[in-house]
Amino acid sequence: MKIAIVTETFLPSTDGVVTRLTASIRYLMKEGHDVRVIAPDLGVYEFEGAKIDGVPARTLPFYRSKQFALPNSVVRKLLKAYDPDIVHVVNPAILGLSGVYYAEKLGYPMVASYHTNVATYLDYYHLSIFKGLIWWYFRKLHNKAALNLATSQTVQKELTKRGFHHVHVWQRGVDTDMFTPDKYDAEMRDRLSDGHPEKKLLLFVGRLAPEKEIEKIKSVLEESDEFVLAIVGDGPHRLALEKHFSGTNTFFTGYMHGEQLAKAYASSDVFVFPSTTETLGLVIMEAMASGLPLVAAKSGPTCEQVEDNYNGLLYDPENPADFTATVRQFEDETLRRRLAQSAHKEVSEMGWEGQSEQLLHFYQEVAGLEGNNEKAKLT
């Protein structure tokens, strides 16, 4: 089967979308399929046998820390030359507009997947007036696809309510070989805690942007001397955050990947996830696989992963004081250890194969190859 993936973000970028895509591509290649990726040109042109066709990219005024590819007719040429059995447009917005338009014009079966609550993010940038327009735009793009994928049941319900057609849940996955409590590293803990390894180490991992609500964590450090904080990641909000946390026991690491990131998780004590806007939160599963209990908001997608007082603690985002009070419960080491064990147990056997196999099933169904695996593997 020949599979074309048109995506707004890919390597060397590292976020939840890229992690999911690389895991899926690795599985599809192993199963004998041919995969071609069309993505912003960031200097990477191959991934484990899959060719990456780069589209010219540039920074945009509203997001200087990342490069985007604008709509481009080169997508038509690339799709026509490759002649895929299926086109998967990931998070269609800018480059994805070309993917949707040309896949339809050329008559290729199409799947689209929704990963980012852009309309909700507008509230954090004082652009709420445009939310209706954004929903209209994404609905128009996604409804060109024969099948739409959402990363949680909550998002599936939201998209269906807003008029998106044929929405299915793309199940969760996590690399349980990479992320494990066995990656604990004393040197990493000393670094992340800025020389205070005896204190309870709170960890945040993710893109540093206003919608992540990272500022909430400061009140914990101000109220309790038992905690230190490590913030792993980068993004447009970093300078503002460094200023906000100035004078507290907070250490900014910048981006971390692979073994270094796995060590960071496993060497920490509690994963803090203040955001209420996530469609999934892959970092939640990476933290759980690493044996970390969580503090997260009572929001739909998060509640599908975190069970209060079992593998983490949920705070009420409507109560400004509840986040701090919830994190401070982890001053009780017995509670922390109990929830840590449950968190690891919850995802210890998950892996990525299940979600990748499900994706292949969706591809075969949309391409009309369902039930004919030999035909589906033809390249």
Side-chain angles (χ1 to χ4, degrees), residues 313-360:
L313 297 176
L314 296 173
Y315 81 93
D316 180 2
E318 302 299 321
N319 180 353
D322 198 46
F323 178 80
T324 301
T326 302
V327 175
R328 290 197 64 181
Q329 290 186 52
F330 284 113
E331 291 173 2
D332 180 351
E333 179 62 13
T334 301
L335 172 70
R336 194 199 68 79
R337 289 182 180 275
R338 175 171 65 81
L339 270 57
Q341 290 175 352
S342 299
H344 180 247
K345 179 180 178 182
E346 185 78 6
V347 300
S348 61
E349 297 181 3
M350 181 175 286
W352 278 114
E353 185 156 324
Q355 71 97 45
S356 301
E357 185 176 3
Q358 180 200 30
L359 181 64
L360 176 58

Side-chain angles (χ1 to χ4, degrees), residues 12-15 178-179 232 254-263:
S13 298
T14 54
D15 57 23
M178 174 68 73
F179 299 104
V232 176
Y255 285 120
M256 297 180 80
H257 315 296
E259 286 290 327
Q260 289 294 102
L261 179 58
K263 289 179 181 180

Side-chain angles (χ1 to χ4, degrees), residues 56-187:
R58 53 177 290 186
T59 57
L60 298 178
F62 58 84
Y63 206 99
R64 291 289 186 184
S65 64
K66 185 174 180 178
Q67 291 188 313
F68 298 86
L70 300 177
N72 196 315
S73 61
V74 72
V75 174
R76 180 186 185 278
K77 297 176 183 177
L78 292 170
L79 287 176
K80 192 171 183 180
Y82 182 53
D83 193 29
D85 296 306
I86 187 82
V87 176
H88 179 179
V89 187
V90 181
N91 242 5
I94 307 175
L95 177 63
L97 171 62
S98 294
V100 169
Y101 179 79
Y102 290 117
E104 182 185 36
K105 287 294 183 183
L106 295 169
Y108 294 124
M110 181 175 22
V111 171
S113 52
Y114 183 93
H115 301 262
T116 309
N117 274 333
V118 174
T120 304
Y121 289 178
L122 294 181
D123 292 336
Y124 295 84
Y125 296 88
H126 310 292
L127 296 171
S128 302
I129 191 173
F130 296 110
K131 288 173 74 171
L133 178 63
I134 288 292
W135 277 120
W136 170 85
Y137 177 68
F138 286 137
R139 180 170 57 246
K140 187 174 181 65
L141 290 181
H142 278 269
N143 283 349
K144 299 288 187 182
L147 182 72
N148 283 297
L149 302 179
T151 54
S152 70
Q153 294 176 14
T154 301
V155 174
Q156 178 194 35
K157 292 175 183 176
E158 172 79 3
L159 296 181
T160 301
K161 183 179 74 174
R162 292 188 176 276
F164 288 59
H165 300 158
H166 312 300
V167 185
H168 295 258
V169 176
W170 188 1
Q171 68 191 49
R172 297 178 292 156
V174 66
D175 188 342
T176 50
D177 293 324
M178 174 68 73
F179 299 104
T180 165
D182 295 339
K183 297 292 176 70
Y184 175 88
D185 183 87
E187 288 186 12

